[in-house]
């Protein structure tokens, strides 16, 4: 509850997603008065998102998370696919070790965010849905609360988890409006299929599931990629398209999405399904560039998507685990600041030091060069076609005598539009990125 003398809460958290709920829950557990403000009528009610959640970090916050939270399937099969107009080349990895302990689950955020909000309320967090924060209250260079319409809510610390296009980060002067190159639009369909069909088509059983990461023809040459993952009774599938490249190529995101779903390797996986949901949302394309900004001011910390904690490693797309990790780092810094009664910028800087020691900051550094690799236009056409030509040369048994694999690869390279210098540069970038 609020401070009895000053009517000031210890912490106001803006945003009821994974990051906001994790921070609010952790601080309430530690005995602090916390308000969680969510713009939607109920946390998760407006969220069309979902995805693969690398969830081991959540077991630190909510023991038994996988068994208790409304997760869909435990992801034990991962497919990385190079898609061309008439072919695909897949790396198909299944491993029982990913099931115990559970490495990742598929989730639908409308369900998950509502559950997280309930855990917050049980821990003592005051959840305020249906409230839009208009601005920060800043006095003497320090954030001391938030303003929503004519109402003002005072707090010793504000934690902003207000999403990709964080106006809080912009108002605080932490960063300007992000350039289109750092952002992408995600377009997704949720297609209902019965569990037996899902298990048969995606070679999984029980509550296990499959996730696809696709690059190439799925985006019609636009920088980005395709995704597909299995839920209990549906398939989530779509594309993520970098905004600047989408505009430059003059394509409509909905048309690219439909093109992917009609691909000859994808359409059979969806056959007989019924469209349950369709929508789009803004997402992050260059997380390392966004988190390079300072993430704090006196009395303020920025977490989750609002800070830029998203990574596309080419094999995995991560956001929710990094959001949760950043929230824990911020909660730790807030707890220390509240204990010391020090809400200065120097005190808030402990948040970034926490990140640097944790997997969140370390992984952002490890994959800092990945956006550079994914910026290569060859990733969305030439390389996939070259790999397919190599595989065709190996598997196409005509009446001619066989050629050594190295010669098949050399012929495919010479046939492609890729030049040797480009291949070398991309190879060096890949080594740095991975």
């Amino acid at each position: 509850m609020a401070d009895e003398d000053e009517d000031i809460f210890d912490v106001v958290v803006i945003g009821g997603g994974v990051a906001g709920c994790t921070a609010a829950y952790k601080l309430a557990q530690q005995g602090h008065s916390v308000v969680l403000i969510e713009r939607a009528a109920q946390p998760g009610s407006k969220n069309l998102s979902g995805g693969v959640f690398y969830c081991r970090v959540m077991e630190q916050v909510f023991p038994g998370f996988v068994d208790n939270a409304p997760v869909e399937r435990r992801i034990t099969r991962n497919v990385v696919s190079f898609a061309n107009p008439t072919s695909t080349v897949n790396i198909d990895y299944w491993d029982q070790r990913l099931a115990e302990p559970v490495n990742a689950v598929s989730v639908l955020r409308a369900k998950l965010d509502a559950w997280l909000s309930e855990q917050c309320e049980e821990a003592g967090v005051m959840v305020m849905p249906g409230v839009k924060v208009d601005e920060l209250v800043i006095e003497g260079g320090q954030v001391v609360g938030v303003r929503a319409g004519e109402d003002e809510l005072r707090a010793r610390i504000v934690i902003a988890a207000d999403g990709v296009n964080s106006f809080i980060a912009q108002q605080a002067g932490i960063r300007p409006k992000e350039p289109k190159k750092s952002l992408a639009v995600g377009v997704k369909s949720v297609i209902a299929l019965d569990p037996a069909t899902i298990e048969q088509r995606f070679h999984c059983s029980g509550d296990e599931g499959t996730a696809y990461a696709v690059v190439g023809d799925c985006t019609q040459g636009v920088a980005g990629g395709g995704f597909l993952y299995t839920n209990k009774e549906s398939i989530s599938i779509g594309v993520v398209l970098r905004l600047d490249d989408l505009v430059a190529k003059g394509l409509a995101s909905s048309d690219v999405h439909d093109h992917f779903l009609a691909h000859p390797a994808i359409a059979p996986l969806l056959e007989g399904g019924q469209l349950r949901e369709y929508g789009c949302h803004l997402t992050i394309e260059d997380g390392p560039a966004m988190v390079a900004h300072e993430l704090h001011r006196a009395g303020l910390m920025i977490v989750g998507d609002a800070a830029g904690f998203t990574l596309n490693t080419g094999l995995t797309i991560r956001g929710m685990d990094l959001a949760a990790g950043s929230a824990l780092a911020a909660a730790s810094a807030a707890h220390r600041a509240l204990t010391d009664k020090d809400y200065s910028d120097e005190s808030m800087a402990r948040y970034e030091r926490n990140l640097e020691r944790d997997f969140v900051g370390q992984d952002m550094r490890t994959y800092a060069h990945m956006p550079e690799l994914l910026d290569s236009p060859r990733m969305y056409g030439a390389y996939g076609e070259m790999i397919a030509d190599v595989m065709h040369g190996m598997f196409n048994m005509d009446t001619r005598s066989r050629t050594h694999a190295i010669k098949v690869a050399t012929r495919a390279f010479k046939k492609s539009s890729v030049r040797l210098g480009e291949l070398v540069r991309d190879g060096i970038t890949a080594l740095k990125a991975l």
Side-chain angles (χ1 to χ4, degrees):
M1 60 187 296
D3 185 287
E4 293 180 358
D5 297 324
E6 302 178 73
D7 196 27
I8 298 176
F9 286 89
D10 289 333
V11 182
V12 166
V13 180
I14 307 170
V18 171
C21 286
T22 300
Y25 179 85
K26 189 68 176 178
L27 285 163
Q29 270 196 323
Q30 294 170 322
H32 302 295
S33 59
V34 184
V35 179
L36 176 64
I37 301 176
E38 166 58 36
R39 182 174 181 175
Q42 292 296 330
S45 63
K46 282 186 162 184
N47 202 333
L48 296 176
S49 182
V52 176
F53 192 168
Y54 297 91
C55 59
R56 288 177 181 171
V57 63
M58 296 302 276
E59 293 292 339
Q60 301 174 21
V61 188
F62 305 99
F65 172 79
V66 173
D67 294 323
N68 297 321
V71 304
E72 295 293 307
R73 290 182 179 269
R74 308 179 188 212
I75 302 299
T76 55
R77 181 173 175 239
N78 293 273
V79 180
V80 180
S81 179
F82 286 89
N84 307 302
T86 60
S87 67
T88 58
V89 179
N90 294 341
I91 301 171
D92 192 332
Y93 169 60
W94 173 85
D95 198 324
Q96 188 61 42
R97 292 174 296 181
L98 296 178
E100 193 61 46
V102 176
N103 176 62
V105 292
S106 57
V107 298
L108 296 170
R109 288 288 300 277
K111 296 179 181 179
L112 178 63
D113 290 5
W115 181 85
L116 289 171
S117 175
E118 290 172 2
Q119 308 314 299
C120 287
E121 287 188 301
E122 290 178 9
V125 176
M126 178 184 290
V127 178
M128 296 178 61
V131 176
K132 177 182 176 294
V133 173
D134 294 310
E135 61 182 350
L136 297 168
V137 178
I138 303 174
E139 295 178 356
Q142 179 172 320
V143 175
V144 296
V146 299
R147 188 173 290 112
E150 297 181 356
D151 297 323
E152 195 172 281
L153 196 61
R154 292 268 171 159
R156 295 180 172 86
I157 297 172
V158 173
I159 296 177
D162 56 326
V164 175
N165 209 13
S166 173
F167 76 93
I168 294 295
Q170 294 174 38
Q171 185 196 348
I174 286 178
R175 68 168 189 259
K177 188 173 182 179
E178 288 298 322
K180 288 186 175 67
K181 187 174 182 179
S182 293
L183 301 173
V185 60
V187 186
K188 184 186 78 170
S189 290
V190 178
I191 298 174
L193 284 171
D194 66 86
T197 300
I198 291 173
E199 291 164 17
Q200 179 184 27
R201 290 182 183 177
F202 294 93
H203 310 291
C204 53
S205 59
D207 63 355
E208 294 188 5
T210 300
Y212 278 68
V214 188
V215 68
D217 185 61
C218 57
T219 61
Q220 294 183 280
V222 176
F227 61 86
L228 180 155
Y229 54 89
T230 56
N231 305 311
K232 286 181 181 178
E233 299 178 342
S234 64
I235 304 299
S236 292
I237 182 169
V239 290
V240 177
L241 308 167
R242 204 177 74 199
L243 282 179
D244 66 325
D245 205 30
L246 180 66
V247 172
K249 289 184 168 61
L251 297 173
S253 59
S254 57
D255 291 342
V256 178
H257 164 275
D258 294 347
H259 173 83
F260 176 41
L261 270 60
H263 190 281
I266 297 298
L269 300 176
L270 311 177
E271 186 177 355
Q274 299 295 317
L275 182 64
R276 179 181 292 173
E277 293 180 17
Y278 175 85
C280 63
H281 66 280
L282 198 64
T283 187
I284 298 167
E285 184 65 17
D286 193 348
M290 290 177 67
V291 300
H293 301 287
E294 283 187 323
L295 304 179
H296 61 86
R297 290 288 185 269
L300 174 70
M301 289 175 278
I302 311 291
V303 300
D305 283 352
F309 287 111
T310 297
L311 277 175
N312 181 356
T313 70
L315 304 176
T316 60
I317 299 176
R318 297 170 55 193
M320 288 178 278
D321 65 319
L322 299 172
S326 71
L328 291 177
S332 176
H335 175 65
R336 176 67 179 274
L338 290 163
T339 301
D340 296 344
K341 297 183 179 180
D342 179 3
Y343 317 113
S344 65
D345 188 53
E346 182 178 351
S347 177
M348 298 298 101
R350 189 175 286 112
Y351 163 48
E352 292 195 40
R353 293 196 292 273
N354 291 343
L355 288 170
E356 290 303 307
R357 289 192 296 266
D358 203 0
F359 76 96
V360 178
Q362 293 173 13
D363 286 359
M364 296 303 290
R365 286 198 307 274
T366 297
Y367 294 105
H369 292 280
M370 184 55 70
E372 181 183 349
L373 176 64
L374 297 178
D375 192 37
S376 169
R378 294 172 289 281
M379 292 293 297
Y380 308 101
Y383 284 142
E385 293 167 2
M386 184 170 65
I387 294 171
D389 284 345
V390 172
M391 301 305 291
H392 182 262
M394 300 296 292
F395 284 93
N396 179 38
M397 299 297 173
D398 53 24
T399 57
R400 293 175 294 181
S401 59
R402 295 294 85 205
T403 302
H404 195 281
I406 192 66
K407 291 185 178 179
V408 173
T410 300
R411 288 175 182 173
F413 171 68
K414 290 180 177 179
K415 177 185 173 184
S416 76
S417 60
V418 180
R419 303 279 66 87
L420 181 59
E422 295 170 336
L423 182 64
V424 171
R425 285 196 299 273
D426 290 342
I428 294 172
T429 301
L431 289 173
K432 290 179 180 178
L434 295 171

Coordinates of all heavy atoms in Angstrom, one line a residue, residues 187-230:
V187 N 3.7 -9.5 -38.6 CA 2.3 -9.8 -39.1 C 2.1 -11.3 -38.8 O 2.9 -12.1 -39.2 CB 2.1 -9.5 -40.5 CG1 0.7 -9.7 -40.9 CG2 2.6 -8.1 -40.9
K188 N 1.1 -11.6 -38.0 CA 0.9 -13.0 -37.6 C -0.5 -13.5 -37.7 O -1.5 -12.7 -37.6 CB 1.3 -13.1 -36.1 CG 1.2 -14.5 -35.5 CD 1.4 -14.5 -34.0 CE 0.2 -14.1 -33.3 NZ 0.3 -14.3 -31.8
S189 N -0.7 -14.7 -38.0 CA -2.0 -15.4 -38.0 C -1.9 -16.5 -37.0 O -0.9 -17.2 -36.8 CB -2.3 -16.0 -39.4 OG -2.6 -15.0 -40.3
V190 N -3.0 -16.7 -36.3 CA -3.2 -17.9 -35.4 C -4.2 -18.8 -36.1 O -5.4 -18.4 -36.3 CB -3.6 -17.5 -34.0 CG1 -3.8 -18.8 -33.2 CG2 -2.5 -16.6 -33.4
I191 N -3.8 -20.0 -36.5 CA -4.7 -20.9 -37.3 C -5.0 -22.1 -36.4 O -4.1 -22.9 -36.0 CB -4.0 -21.3 -38.6 CG1 -3.7 -20.0 -39.4 CG2 -4.8 -22.3 -39.3 CD1 -2.9 -20.3 -40.7
A192 N -6.3 -22.4 -36.2 CA -6.7 -23.5 -35.4 C -6.6 -24.8 -36.1 O -7.0 -24.9 -37.2 CB -8.2 -23.2 -34.9
L193 N -6.0 -25.8 -35.4 CA -5.9 -27.1 -35.8 C -6.0 -28.0 -34.6 O -5.7 -27.7 -33.5 CB -4.5 -27.4 -36.5 CG -4.2 -26.9 -37.9 CD1 -2.8 -27.1 -38.2 CD2 -5.1 -27.6 -38.9
D194 N -6.6 -29.2 -34.8 CA -6.7 -30.1 -33.7 C -5.4 -30.7 -33.2 O -4.5 -30.8 -34.0 CB -7.7 -31.2 -34.0 CG -7.2 -32.2 -35.0 OD1 -6.5 -33.1 -34.7 OD2 -7.5 -32.0 -36.2
P195 N -5.2 -31.0 -32.0 CA -3.9 -31.4 -31.4 C -3.4 -32.6 -32.2 O -2.1 -32.7 -32.4 CB -4.2 -31.8 -30.0 CG -5.4 -30.9 -29.6 CD -6.2 -30.8 -30.9
A196 N -4.2 -33.6 -32.5 CA -3.7 -34.8 -33.2 C -3.1 -34.4 -34.6 O -2.0 -35.0 -34.9 CB -4.8 -35.8 -33.4
T197 N -3.7 -33.5 -35.3 CA -3.1 -33.1 -36.6 C -1.8 -32.4 -36.4 O -0.8 -32.6 -37.1 CB -4.1 -32.2 -37.3 OG1 -5.3 -32.9 -37.6 CG2 -3.5 -31.7 -38.6
I198 N -1.7 -31.5 -35.3 CA -0.5 -30.8 -35.0 C 0.6 -31.8 -34.7 O 1.8 -31.7 -35.3 CB -0.7 -29.8 -33.9 CG1 -1.6 -28.7 -34.3 CG2 0.6 -29.3 -33.3 CD1 -2.0 -27.8 -33.1
E199 N 0.4 -32.8 -33.9 CA 1.4 -33.7 -33.5 C 1.9 -34.5 -34.7 O 3.1 -34.8 -34.8 CB 0.9 -34.6 -32.4 CG 0.6 -33.9 -31.1 CD -0.2 -34.6 -30.1 OE1 -0.4 -35.8 -30.3 OE2 -0.7 -33.9 -29.1
Q200 N 0.9 -34.9 -35.6 CA 1.3 -35.7 -36.8 C 2.2 -34.8 -37.8 O 3.2 -35.3 -38.2 CB 0.1 -36.2 -37.5 CG 0.4 -37.0 -38.7 CD -0.9 -37.4 -39.5 OE1 -1.9 -36.8 -39.4 NE2 -0.9 -38.5 -40.2
R201 N 1.7 -33.6 -38.0 CA 2.4 -32.8 -39.0 C 3.8 -32.3 -38.6 O 4.7 -32.1 -39.4 CB 1.5 -31.6 -39.4 CG 0.3 -32.0 -40.2 CD -0.5 -30.8 -40.7 NE -1.7 -31.3 -41.4 CZ -2.6 -30.5 -41.8 NH1 -2.5 -29.2 -41.6 NH2 -3.7 -31.0 -42.4
F202 N 3.9 -32.1 -37.3 CA 5.1 -31.5 -36.7 C 6.0 -32.4 -35.9 O 6.9 -32.0 -35.2 CB 4.8 -30.2 -35.9 CG 4.2 -29.1 -36.8 CD1 2.8 -29.0 -36.9 CD2 5.0 -28.2 -37.5 CE1 2.2 -28.0 -37.7 CE2 4.4 -27.3 -38.3 CZ 3.0 -27.2 -38.4
H203 N 5.6 -33.7 -36.0 CA 6.4 -34.8 -35.4 C 6.7 -34.5 -33.9 O 7.9 -34.5 -33.5 CB 7.8 -34.9 -36.2 CG 7.6 -35.0 -37.7 ND1 7.0 -36.1 -38.3 CD2 7.9 -34.2 -38.7 CE1 7.0 -36.0 -39.6 NE2 7.5 -34.8 -39.9
C204 N 5.6 -34.3 -33.2 CA 5.8 -34.1 -31.8 C 4.7 -34.8 -31.1 O 3.7 -35.2 -31.7 CB 5.7 -32.6 -31.4 SG 4.3 -31.7 -32.1
S205 N 4.8 -35.1 -29.8 CA 3.8 -35.8 -29.1 C 3.5 -35.2 -27.7 O 4.4 -34.5 -27.2 CB 4.2 -37.3 -28.9 OG 5.5 -37.3 -28.2
G206 N 2.4 -35.5 -27.2 CA 2.0 -35.0 -25.8 C 2.0 -33.5 -25.8 O 1.3 -32.9 -26.7
D207 N 2.7 -32.9 -24.9 CA 2.7 -31.4 -24.8 C 4.0 -30.8 -25.4 O 4.3 -29.7 -25.2 CB 2.6 -31.0 -23.3 CG 3.8 -31.4 -22.5 OD1 4.6 -32.2 -23.0 OD2 3.8 -31.0 -21.3
E208 N 4.7 -31.7 -26.2 CA 5.9 -31.1 -26.9 C 5.5 -30.4 -28.1 O 4.4 -30.6 -28.7 CB 6.9 -32.3 -27.2 CG 7.5 -32.9 -26.0 CD 8.6 -33.9 -26.3 OE1 9.0 -34.0 -27.5 OE2 9.1 -34.6 -25.4
G209 N 6.4 -29.5 -28.6 CA 6.1 -28.7 -29.8 C 7.3 -28.4 -30.6 O 8.4 -28.7 -30.3
T210 N 7.0 -27.7 -31.7 CA 8.0 -27.4 -32.7 C 8.0 -25.9 -33.0 O 7.0 -25.2 -33.0 CB 7.7 -28.2 -34.0 OG1 7.7 -29.6 -33.7 CG2 8.7 -27.8 -35.1
A211 N 9.2 -25.4 -33.3 CA 9.3 -24.0 -33.7 C 10.2 -23.9 -35.0 O 11.2 -24.5 -35.1 CB 10.0 -23.1 -32.6
Y212 N 9.8 -23.1 -35.9 CA 10.5 -22.8 -37.2 C 11.0 -21.4 -37.2 O 10.3 -20.4 -36.8 CB 9.6 -23.0 -38.4 CG 9.3 -24.3 -38.9 CD1 8.5 -25.3 -38.1 CD2 9.8 -24.8 -40.1 CE1 8.3 -26.5 -38.6 CE2 9.5 -26.0 -40.6 CZ 8.8 -26.9 -39.8 OH 8.5 -28.2 -40.3
A213 N 12.2 -21.2 -37.6 CA 12.8 -19.9 -38.0 C 13.1 -20.0 -39.5 O 13.9 -20.8 -39.9 CB 14.0 -19.6 -37.1
V214 N 12.6 -19.1 -40.3 CA 12.7 -19.2 -41.7 C 13.3 -17.9 -42.3 O 12.9 -16.8 -41.8 CB 11.3 -19.4 -42.4 CG1 11.4 -19.7 -43.9 CG2 10.5 -20.6 -41.6
V215 N 14.2 -18.1 -43.2 CA 14.7 -16.9 -43.9 C 14.7 -17.1 -45.4 O 14.8 -18.3 -45.9 CB 16.2 -16.6 -43.4 CG1 17.1 -17.7 -43.9 CG2 16.7 -15.3 -43.9
G216 N 14.6 -16.1 -46.2 CA 14.6 -16.2 -47.7 C 13.4 -15.8 -48.3 O 12.9 -14.7 -48.1
D217 N 12.8 -16.6 -49.1 CA 11.6 -16.3 -49.9 C 10.4 -15.9 -49.1 O 9.4 -15.3 -49.6 CB 11.3 -17.4 -50.9 CG 10.1 -17.1 -51.9 OD1 10.3 -16.1 -52.6 OD2 9.1 -17.7 -51.8
C218 N 10.4 -16.3 -47.8 CA 9.3 -16.0 -46.9 C 9.0 -14.5 -46.8 O 7.9 -14.1 -46.6 CB 9.5 -16.6 -45.6 SG 11.0 -16.1 -44.7
T219 N 10.0 -13.7 -47.0 CA 9.9 -12.2 -46.9 C 10.0 -11.5 -48.2 O 10.0 -10.3 -48.3 CB 10.9 -11.7 -45.9 OG1 12.2 -11.9 -46.4 CG2 10.7 -12.2 -44.5
Q220 N 10.0 -12.3 -49.3 CA 10.2 -11.7 -50.7 C 11.3 -10.7 -50.8 O 11.3 -9.7 -51.4 CB 8.9 -11.0 -51.1 CG 7.7 -12.0 -51.2 CD 6.4 -11.3 -51.7 OE1 5.7 -10.7 -50.9 NE2 6.2 -11.4 -53.0
G221 N 12.4 -11.1 -50.1 CA 13.6 -10.3 -50.2 C 13.8 -9.2 -49.2 O 14.8 -8.5 -49.1
V222 N 12.7 -8.9 -48.4 CA 12.8 -7.9 -47.4 C 13.5 -8.4 -46.2 O 13.4 -9.6 -45.8 CB 11.3 -7.5 -46.9 CG1 11.4 -6.5 -45.8 CG2 10.5 -6.9 -48.1
A223 N 14.4 -7.6 -45.6 CA 15.2 -8.0 -44.4 C 14.2 -8.4 -43.3 O 13.3 -7.7 -43.0 CB 16.1 -6.9 -44.0
G224 N 14.4 -9.6 -42.8 CA 13.5 -10.1 -41.7 C 13.5 -11.6 -41.8 O 14.5 -12.2 -42.2
G225 N 12.4 -12.2 -41.5 CA 12.2 -13.6 -41.5 C 10.8 -14.1 -41.2 O 9.9 -13.3 -40.9
G226 N 10.7 -15.4 -41.3 CA 9.4 -16.0 -41.0 C 9.5 -16.8 -39.8 O 10.6 -17.2 -39.4
F227 N 8.3 -17.1 -39.1 CA 8.3 -17.9 -38.0 C 7.1 -18.7 -38.0 O 6.0 -18.4 -38.6 CB 8.3 -17.0 -36.7 CG 7.2 -16.1 -36.5 CD1 6.0 -16.5 -36.0 CD2 7.2 -14.8 -37.0 CE1 4.9 -15.7 -35.8 CE2 6.2 -13.9 -36.9 CZ 5.0 -14.4 -36.3
L228 N 7.2 -19.8 -37.3 CA 6.0 -20.7 -37.1 C 6.3 -21.5 -35.8 O 7.4 -22.0 -35.6 CB 5.9 -21.7 -38.3 CG 4.7 -22.7 -38.2 CD1 4.4 -23.1 -39.7 CD2 5.1 -24.0 -37.4
Y229 N 5.3 -21.6 -34.9 CA 5.4 -22.4 -33.8 C 4.0 -23.0 -33.4 O 3.0 -22.5 -33.7 CB 6.0 -21.6 -32.6 CG 5.3 -20.4 -32.2 CD1 4.2 -20.4 -31.3 CD2 5.7 -19.1 -32.8 CE1 3.6 -19.2 -31.0 CE2 5.0 -18.0 -32.4 CZ 4.0 -18.0 -31.5 OH 3.3 -16.8 -31.2
T230 N 4.1 -24.1 -32.8 CA 2.9 -24.9 -32.4 C 2.4 -24.5 -31.1 O 3.1 -24.4 -30.1 CB 3.2 -26.4 -32.5 OG1 4.2 -26.7 -31.6 CG2 3.5 -26.8 -33.9

